[in-house]
Amino acid sequence: MNVEQLKSRFKGHYDFMVAEKFLDEQFSQLQQLQDESTPDFAFEVVSLFFEDCQKIFHDLDRALEQPMVDFKTVDNNVHTLKGSSSSIGAARVTHVCIAFRSFCDEHNLEGCLRSMQELKRETALVKNQFEILFKLEQQLLAAGGSITLPVKPSPQSNDHPWFM
Amino acid sequence: MGSQGRRCSDRLCCFSLSMNENTIPRGRRRMFHKEVKEEEFSYANTNCLSSYYSVFVARLAIMVMLAILIGMLTVLTWHFTKSYTTKSINTLAYGLRYELLQRPILRMWNILNSTVEITQAQVKLSEFVIRQYDSPVMQAAHLECYEVMRNVTWALFASRRALNAITIRYKNGVVQAFHRDHRSNYTFYIYSELVNSSVLSDQGWGQQHHNSAVWYRESLDPITGETRGNPKPIPPDDLINIAGISEVPDGAASWHVKVSKFTDSPSLSAALPVKDSPNGSIVAVVGVTTALYSVGQLMKELVEFHSGYMYLTTQEGYVIATSTNAPLLRNLSSGPKLMAAVDSEDRIIRLGAKWLEKACGNHSSLKHETHAENVRLGHQKYYIDSFFLNLKRLPLVGVIIIPRKYVMGKVDQRALTTLVILISASICILIIGCVCILILTSGVSKEMKLRAELISHLDARRRAEASSNYKSQFLANMSHELRTPMAAVIGLLDILICDDCLSNEQYATVTQIRKCSTALLRLLNNILDISKVSIFGKFKSGKRRCFLKVESGKLVLEKAEFDLGRELEGLVDMFSVQCINHNVEIVLDLSDDMPKLVLGDSARVVQIFANLISNSLKFTSSGHIILRGWCERFNTTTYSEKLPLDQKDSQSLPRTKSKQQENNSKRTLKKENKIIIWFEVEDTGCGIDPSKWEAVFESFEQADPSTTRTHGGTGLGLCIVRTLVNKMGGEIKVVEKDGPGTLMQLSLVFNTPGDGAGQNEEKEFTKHSLMVALSADLVLLALNGRMSRSIMSQWLRKGGVCTREVSEWNELTQILQDVFPESKSGVEIETNGVLRNEVLYSQNLVTSNFVIIVDIGLLDLSTSIWKEQLKFLDKYHGKAKFAWVLNHDTCNAVKMELRKNGHLLMVNKPLYKAKLVQILDAVVKERNLVLQRKGVNASRTSTVERDLHESLEIDPFHYDAVSSDDSDASDGRSLHLNGSAVVGERRMKNSATRCNGLNNGLVELSRTVGLTGKSLNPENQYRKTAVNNGNLLHHSDGGKISALSESRCGSSVISQHQRVNNDLMDPNHIDTNRLVSRQKSLEGLCILLAEDTPVLQRVATIMLEKMGAMVVVVGDGQQAVEALKCPLDAECRKRALYPEDGEVMSHMQIQEFPAFHLILMDCQMPRMDGYEATKAIRKLEEGTGFHIPIVALTAHAMSSDEAKCLEVGMDAYLTKPIDCKLMMSTILSLTKGVV
């Protein structure tokens, strides 16, 4: 495969991820931060995120198994996860986290458990997607191509901060 | 009973169930909350009723139970105490009765026995005596025999004192008898004298009886038996019953109960025959009579002691002996007879006998013993027992009647008292128990009532909370749902804008759409913000004020850099279409001293003016709306310098000065680069009644309520405006105005970013250079709108540019003809483009410049006259520079025609200063180009010029396209264009030399002389300038040139991250550009990052490092405080910082105090969260005078969190995900004093 094909595949996959809301513009910011001095930055951060996820999931599972669920702990964990996921741009995970937290506020155990499942599913999904993306990226780099940042000047960030 | 009990327990079950229902399964119910909401509501009502009911039932049930229990206890106690005693006493009593009765019977038996013995003895003796004297022939022997018999009999009689009588009757009828009267204590001997001598003859007993016998009675001495008197003859058998032969016909003994008239008690008599030999004939009959008196005596004694009654009857029922004194005999005419028991004179005995008779039925059954208890005789109860003494000849029945009282009296009494006591005690207990139950259950029921109430309240509260939650959720969702498609629209438009193959018209349209979309998005955001806002009035110091209260906290204003002028121009552009449709002229009049960039919340500012303008527009049907703005400076250092300029600039605005004096008191604030900007929104609408000037700012108020019908609206607009204005530190009011309409004046306080002095000069320069360039020119403003025309001309005149105003076509032609009298010749020359150009150039050399700005509205577009008019203007094309002001709806044909005719300068309405400057810029530039080209190469001109025109034509649209954030694009461009001026060239050199000596950053100035537009290499257009504070040194340098360099440098500082890029099409360029500019922006800053999540640590670190900052990462708040402590501590100052955990330290340098310029603090961290850490840090800083800026990092997206952050002492607030740009601008704004 030549560079162009790889490039288009990479871009195609990225677009797919964005379209499916796996990613949002935050990831492109991460990509931008990647340069010669930190070539694997995005990969590193995403890996960090998934490691973090494992730990948080473990904590969450344990917290939710308790006979008396401490919703504050759960909430804190989910909050952390929300921060991390939004930082790497995993929008769907972030979204689930938001729902999860609202359940925590209501002390709705059933909802929490449901959210927990959803969270795991979404994380697994996005992990797969990321793996594909990074594989493509590596192939592309190996083939001698460079990652053109598939960044559009995101209109929303121009006008309003989204999370205000 | 059983069924009742079951029902009871059922009720109790229900009751306990209902209680459980009430208290326990709250959590479970919550799950079904949504489904059963309605039911729950009604359930709450029935709940109360059922609980009352169940309480009632429970009370009743408990009481009944108690009653039953106590009743049973009572009965059992009574029963056991009574029955056992009764039984044992009964047994005892039976024994007693038996014993009692046995004794008289025994006595009776004794009597009988003794009687029999006596009789037997007498018989034996008689036999013996008679056998001895058995010589029947001898009379003497008979007499002797009688004598012996008398003595023997006396001996027997005397030995037995209990005997009543002993009689012997011989076969021959001779009778010998002894009789004893117990009452008179007399003893008699009774005998009969025989008439015939045949004493012992065998004659029949009956014939000889009484025939001739004479009876005698002798009184005897009872002890000796001596005869004391003479025998007296008595009638036979008068005194005693003499046993006769008839009584013993079969030779067996016979028994009789006899009654004699001499005794009042019956007596017992026995008779036995005396036989001459065994189995011989009977020779005599012996009879013994015993009184039964002693039996009665015994009975009396017994009864006396034991009470009760006794009597003894024969089998036939005749009473033999009784314990009473009742007579036993009754005197009949035939002599005394025994009395039957049923006829007894004693009442009890009579009744008892009757009862016995009734109970036993007949006499024969008397043989059975009866034992009866509780027989009621008369008024009392008795025990009746009868015993049967079965003697062969004389069966006897003994009856004892003992009153129950005697045996059981005490027991009965005790039992009764016990019963009474038990009953009364149990009744007492029952009553007390019931009362207790009542009290207890009333407590319980009260508690239950309260609990039910509490539960219903909780339910209500939860429902309310849920609904408010839903509301918030809904809002959040809505905002997301609405914004997402808008974002998509805008994004797509951006793509479309980037497309190369758009025609200019299409491009313009798309740009317009883009702009409107942005506005719509902004509007959406505002609406959503406002919908979150509840407005309420509050009295404060007598003045009513409105507050905006965001549901989850305070309304927090953003603090970001933005171009105020640009925002307002965009706003006016946006409203212009509407205004033109309303036939209202909208004018923007901003004074030149307005700062270019300010720090504030652009969205809110735009919201304010959008509200005000739309409000004005609503009430203005004709005329104009003017938005004026001017600046009032706080900065005292520049104040004196600025004053003359201000005065000069704001001739039309004399208020400024007075305001300045007014604001002297606010000088304290002026240190911090604050400026007050005043605005006026004036319209020529219906106006507001002065009495309502204050009221219109209140919520839901409109000056005239009827306007709601005609104009619509909620009346919230002005209230929101005022709240926002107050929030921004300004005020708004309605002021007096000449003529109809409303004039609103408001002030807003902004911070100026960085070096606030710079931009103004730049603008000044732009203007001045223009003015200088145009000083020889005449600008003809041929505009429809009176206000904008006059304002523009005033402004130009002030700048030293000659202007003339025309308002209609005829006037224009007039002036044109006046100015160009030789035009006719010019027309003839113009045959082709090239020629024309030649002419133009030649003319340019000669004549002064003439710029004509024509409103398209001057042309008569309704008919085809406009083409003629254009042709007319064409004549002057070479002599004057035309710029066209188009309407938004100017049709393409007109534009095409204009372009065809070489009119390439076009702007859209409304015309404001920026656009005017742009037009004039273009004119000047073109002229410079021409001037320059004149000496270079004439042959290239046409093509280059074509290019130039192209670019100029596009300019306005580009200009429109840029939003506030990339506002500097056009700014850079305009500067760039300016650069082509001669003056600009000088300036470049100057600033380059000066800056190079001072700047440590990269100063790259573009060489733009002679090269413009697209022909330039875009790279050359960037200015990556990091300017240090040294630039300020130039400040005091007077003169144009130094001011120039200063202004340029200043603008570079502020617009570090801006895109100085003319070419919007290439996003890569933008990004690289952005990156490049970003790279240096945080140079020299040392930032402490407190963040626990590794992902965020990494991201933030890289981001900051890319921007040139040094980053120290700590894992939690505790470490952050520790890390800060060291440098704060003077001794530790020189020491290098190494956080305990050995966290990443990128480039830690020992720095001058303070070591860190800024802290990025995650709010939620283990061990010590961001809030606590901030508090701790602020506490550490107390007294030191230092204040390290702390920026909160949080994933919370609510503004309440921001309020919380700020409350604990943080300076700014960033949300996750971190927006690079936002973070940078925040950091810069907080650290500008340091770099």
Side-chain angles (χ1 to χ4, degrees), chain B residues 1127-1139:
Chain B
L1128 271 179
D1129 187 3
E1131 291 167 9
C1132 295
R1133 198 186 296 170
K1134 297 293 176 202
R1135 246 195 298 151
L1137 280 174
Y1138 291 104

Side-chain angles (χ1 to χ4, degrees), chain A residues 26 29 33 35 38 41 44 49 52 76 79 82 84 86-88 101 106 110 155 158-160 162-163, chain B residues 30-31 483 490-491 518 525 965 1093 1095-1096 1098-1099 1102-1103 1106 1164 1195-1197 1216-1220:
Chain A
Q26 189 62 28
Q29 285 212 17
L33 290 169
D35 59 14
T38 53
F41 174 66
E44 185 192 333
F49 168 71
D52 209 21
N76 281 343
H79 182 78
K82 184 185 154 199
S84 328
S86 68
S87 294
I88 65 155
R101 290 197 64 200
E106 289 172 22
E110 201 185 316
N158 277 352
D159 285 310
H160 287 283
W162 276 88
F163 287 90
Chain B
R30 179 183 279 275
M31 281 179 221
R483 285 191 233 185
I490 291 170
T518 317
N525 286 333
D965 287 305
T1093 327
V1095 179
L1096 278 171
R1098 194 79 188 101
V1099 172
I1102 290 287
M1103 276 184 176
K1106 295 277 173 193
Q1164 205 181 33
H1196 291 291
K1216 293 175 191 173
I1218 302 165
D1219 185 81
C1220 227

Side-chain angles (χ1 to χ4, degrees), chain B residues 771-966:
Chain B
M771 297 306 175
V772 170
L774 290 168
S775 55
D777 296 5
L778 175 65
V779 177
L780 184 60
L781 292 170
L783 297 174
N784 258 346
R786 193 175 58 82
M787 282 316 291
S788 63
R789 193 178 61 223
S790 67
I791 286 169
M792 288 304 142
S793 69
Q794 264 178 15
W795 181 67
L796 283 176
R797 269 184 215 134
K798 206 168 63 192
V801 182
C802 294
T803 52
R804 294 198 60 179
E805 302 173 43
V806 289
S807 58
E808 52 159 358
W809 177 252
N810 290 337
E811 217 176 319
L812 177 65
T813 52
Q814 189 62 49
I815 288 179
L816 281 177
Q817 278 160 3
D818 286 352
V819 174
F820 302 107
E822 77 281 21
S823 62
K824 279 191 176 102
S825 62
V827 174
E828 284 159 10
I829 296 163
E830 288 172 19
T831 46
N832 62 49
V834 180
L835 255 181
R836 193 189 66 197
N837 282 336
E838 294 294 337
V839 171
L840 185 140
Y841 297 136
S842 61
Q843 275 177 350
N844 274 343
L845 291 174
V846 182
T847 61
S848 62
N849 286 295
F850 192 42
V851 182
I852 306 170
I853 297 166
V854 192
D855 193 340
I856 198 81
L858 287 185
L859 303 182
D860 188 353
L861 295 172
S862 52
T863 59
S864 54
I865 296 171
W866 61 274
K867 286 191 177 168
E868 298 300 318
Q869 291 171 324
L870 271 186
K871 267 184 193 157
F872 173 79
L873 290 180
D874 242 8
K875 289 190 290 191
Y876 302 98
H877 199 286
K879 297 159 197 164
K881 193 70 201 159
F882 282 95
W884 289 89
V885 180
L886 303 180
N887 274 347
H888 66 286
D889 54 352
T890 306
C891 62
N892 235 0
V894 179
K895 287 186 198 162
M896 287 299 285
E897 193 64 31
L898 284 172
R899 203 166 296 146
K900 212 167 72 189
N901 288 334
H903 301 289
L904 298 169
L905 268 177
M906 291 183 236
V907 290
N908 266 340
K909 262 189 179 172
L911 186 65
Y912 40 75
K913 280 169 201 166
K915 282 185 186 172
L916 191 59
V917 166
Q918 205 183 347
I919 291 169
L920 296 178
D921 253 350
V923 171
V924 169
K925 184 180 64 191
E926 193 182 350
R927 194 191 309 150
N928 287 338
L929 199 69
V930 172
L931 281 172
Q932 192 189 2
R933 194 189 288 137
K934 185 183 64 182
V936 187
N937 191 356
S939 65
R940 269 180 57 208
T941 47
S942 67
T943 51
V944 173
E945 196 187 9
R946 216 71 202 155
D947 281 345
L948 175 66
H949 287 166
E950 199 73 24
S951 88
L952 282 175
E953 188 192 354
I954 290 162
D955 270 345
F957 301 120
H958 277 184
Y959 184 80
D960 288 344
V962 285
S963 68
S964 68
D965 287 305
D966 18 83

Side-chain angles (χ1 to χ4, degrees), chain B residues 354-383:
Chain B
K354 276 180 184 166
W355 182 85
L356 270 176
E357 201 172 295
K358 216 194 310 175
C360 302
N362 51 18
H363 296 289
S364 63
S365 62
L366 267 178
K367 286 170 188 169
H368 303 289
E369 293 184 3
T370 46
H371 304 284
E373 296 170 8
N374 300 338
V375 178
R376 182 167 283 279
L377 305 174
H379 299 295
Q380 273 191 308
K381 281 182 176 174
Y382 295 90
Y383 291 97

Side-chain angles (χ1 to χ4, degrees), chain B residues 370-407:
Chain B
T370 46
H371 304 284
E373 296 170 8
N374 300 338
V375 178
R376 182 167 283 279
L377 305 174
H379 299 295
Q380 273 191 308
K381 281 182 176 174
Y382 295 90
Y383 291 97
I384 298 180
D385 299 86
S386 69
F387 299 93
F388 183 64
L389 187 67
N390 196 8
L391 299 177
K392 196 176 173 188
R393 305 264 171 183
L394 185 67
L396 288 175
V397 176
V399 175
I400 179 166
I401 300 173
I402 288 182
R404 187 189 160 85
K405 204 165 73 183
Y406 170 66
V407 182

